[in-house]
């Protein structure tokens, strides 16, 4: 089926980066409505790469899975795209307890995701959130309250007092890591304006890494890539502890979306210039950073990794 609603409106528009995380399941026995939003739907013509779908193929994807998708894929490309306006379709049917959405996001997860995106794009970008899905009034109110707290830069205070929000790295530490902030950075705004000089590339690398690190700080309680060097510094104060390991199917879903995006010319160029870091998440990775036995999946994982390398460097289509 063709893309629907918002995705359809912007599918041919190279000036709009559209991102969606949603349940997706189409097989002979069942179709999760509406059956659109495949990872392969990346946009058309000049807008190829401007439509990103993270399609969850199993039920119950919660805070941990959404945090991993943001940290590894969505925040880097948001920072690289450098939007002039940020619109959020605030659908709460992905919340735990919703009778329709088939996911398990908590208000704390919505809060962390919102803060992560706001920190990534920076305070100078206008943001608008519009209410969308959600079919449990109590849960909608709790999640909207959490999002509003994030917009107001207020701490999240759930009923369980041991869940304390992570503090951001102090400005002096960030400047030591990345150098002073360049408030006049504006040459990265347009889709078709890739950096051309070494200086522009270096400036964009710094800007994207800085914005992405700001955002990732807000998600450390749910997900931390064990091999990622820029997150070796833990946030001050107590952090939220993950309830469980990341679902293996979620890692595969994120990697699939990443591979399709990496094959699009714009992001392939950005990746080759080391501006965006779009490397697959190892399929044996858990939240805690421990490496677990791959079991029967080990051989299949190796085959997938080889295929990914061929896709990236051999120009093969997937």
């Amino acid at each position: 089926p063709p893309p629907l609603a918002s995705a359809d409106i912007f599918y041919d528009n190279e000036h709009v980066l559209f991102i969606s995380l949603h349940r997706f399941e189409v097989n002979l026995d069942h179709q999760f409505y509406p059956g659109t939003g495949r990872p392969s739907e990346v946009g058309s013509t000049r807008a190829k790469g401007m439509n990103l779908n993270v399609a969850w193929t199993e039920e119950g994807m919660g805070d941990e899975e959404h945090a991993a998708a943001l940290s590894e894929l969505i925040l880097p490309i948001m920072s690289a795209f450098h939007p002039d306006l940020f619109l959020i379709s605030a659908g709460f049917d992905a919340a735990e307890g919703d009778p329709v959405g088939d996911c398990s996001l908590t208000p704390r997860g919505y809060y962390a995701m919102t803060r992560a995106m706001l920190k990534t794009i920076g305070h100078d970008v206008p943001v608008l959130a519009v209410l969308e899905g959600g079919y449990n009034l109590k849960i909608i109110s709790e999640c909207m309250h959490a999002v509003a707290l994030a917009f107001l830069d207020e701490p999240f205070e759930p009923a369980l007092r041991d869940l304390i929000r992570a503090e951001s790295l102090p400005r002096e530490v960030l400047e030591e890591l990345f150098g002073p902030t360049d408030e006049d950075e504006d040459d990265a705004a347009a889709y078709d304006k890739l950096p051309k000089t070494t200086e522009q590339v270096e400036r964009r690398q710094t800007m994207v890494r800085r914005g992405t690190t700001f955002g990732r700080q807000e998600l450390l309680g749910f997900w931390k890539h064990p091999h990622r060097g820029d997150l070796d510094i833990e946030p001050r104060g107590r952090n939220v502890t993950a309830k469980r390991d990341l679902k293996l199917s979620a890692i595969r879903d994120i990697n699939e979306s990443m591979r399709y995006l990496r094959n699009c010319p714009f992001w392939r160029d950005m990746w080759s210039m080391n501006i965006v870091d779009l490397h697959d998440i190892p399929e044996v990775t858990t939240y805690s950073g421990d490496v677990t036995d791959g079991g029967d999946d080990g051989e299949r994982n190796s085959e997938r990794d080889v295929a990914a390398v061929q896709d990236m460097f051999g120009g093969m289509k997937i």
Side-chain angles (χ1 to χ4, degrees):
L4 297 177
S6 302
D8 183 46
I9 294 171
F10 299 115
Y11 203 69
D12 301 323
N13 192 329
E14 72 270 24
H15 302 292
V16 177
L17 174 62
F18 177 83
I19 301 171
S20 178
L21 298 93
H22 52 264
R23 271 286 278 127
F24 177 82
E25 185 177 352
V26 177
N27 54 52
L28 294 176
D29 301 322
H30 176 69
Q31 172 176 301
F32 192 89
Y33 180 83
T36 60
R38 290 174 169 79
S40 58
E41 297 170 4
V42 294
S44 65
T45 60
R46 280 178 53 85
K48 190 174 182 181
M50 294 295 104
N51 194 88
L52 170 64
N53 290 303
V54 178
W56 302 128
T57 55
E58 287 189 9
E59 63 182 10
M61 300 301 184
D63 298 340
E64 295 81 6
E65 289 77 24
H66 285 79
L70 260 71
S71 182
E72 301 304 312
L73 177 55
I74 293 173
L75 299 185
I77 68 170
M78 283 180 60
S79 184
F81 187 71
H82 198 58
D84 298 312
L85 176 65
F86 182 35
L87 305 178
I88 302 175
S89 297
F92 298 120
D93 44 355
E96 187 174 32
D98 186 273
V100 175
D102 216 14
C103 291
S104 300
L105 272 169
T106 67
R108 179 62 179 82
Y110 275 107
Y111 174 83
M113 289 170 60
T114 305
R115 282 184 61 89
M117 292 186 288
L118 295 177
K119 294 286 186 179
T120 296
I121 62 174
H123 60 82
D124 58 332
V125 178
V127 182
L128 175 65
V130 180
L131 288 173
E132 285 208 357
Y135 305 94
N136 182 316
L137 293 180
K138 181 177 184 297
I139 292 172
I140 291 175
S141 64
E142 292 173 354
C143 293
M144 188 61 242
H145 179 251
V147 170
L149 288 175
F151 269 93
L152 295 171
D153 200 24
E154 293 289 336
F156 181 76
E157 298 178 355
L160 299 176
R161 304 296 293 183
D162 60 332
L163 300 183
I164 308 293
R165 73 177 175 92
E167 297 183 26
S168 299
L169 286 173
R171 183 184 183 90
E172 57 270 21
V173 174
L174 287 167
E175 292 197 348
E176 183 177 347
L177 286 172
F178 307 119
T181 304
D182 186 353
E183 300 292 349
D184 296 324
E185 176 66 66
D186 62 358
D187 65 342
Y191 163 75
D192 55 359
K193 286 186 63 177
L194 287 167
K196 297 177 176 62
T197 67
T198 301
E199 181 182 0
Q200 288 176 333
V201 170
E202 291 176 350
R203 288 179 65 197
R204 189 85 71 88
Q205 288 171 340
T206 300
M207 180 193 73
V208 171
R209 188 163 183 255
R210 181 186 181 92
T212 305
T213 299
F214 266 121
R216 284 173 174 160
Q217 282 291 121
E218 302 297 328
L219 302 170
L220 286 178
F222 300 114
W223 166 256
K224 177 183 177 182
H225 195 303
H227 307 301
R228 186 175 295 290
D230 61 348
L231 289 179
D232 286 342
I233 300 178
E234 297 286 355
R236 297 174 296 156
R238 288 191 296 163
N239 199 2
V240 184
T241 56
K243 298 177 182 178
R244 57 173 173 77
D245 292 339
L246 201 68
K247 290 178 181 289
L248 179 58
S249 65
I251 295 177
R252 291 173 177 168
D253 293 339
I254 296 167
N255 286 345
E256 182 177 11
S257 298
M258 193 181 299
R259 290 167 184 171
Y260 275 110
L261 202 69
R262 243 176 2 219
N263 268 349
C264 299
F266 177 72
W267 296 112
R268 187 169 59 234
D269 290 344
M270 296 286 266
W271 185 70
S272 67
M273 288 186 283
N274 200 29
I275 292 174
V276 290
D277 179 14
L278 298 178
H279 294 282
D280 285 16
I281 306 172
E283 290 191 3
V284 293
T285 300
T286 64
Y287 161 79
S288 62
D290 300 327
V291 176
T292 58
D293 184 4
D296 295 335
D297 289 333
E299 184 176 348
R300 181 161 51 128
N301 294 347
S302 298
E303 293 173 354
R304 289 167 63 94
D305 290 341
V306 170
V309 172
Q310 291 174 335
D311 291 337
M312 285 184 286
F313 299 105
M316 298 172 62
K317 293 183 179 180
I318 57 177

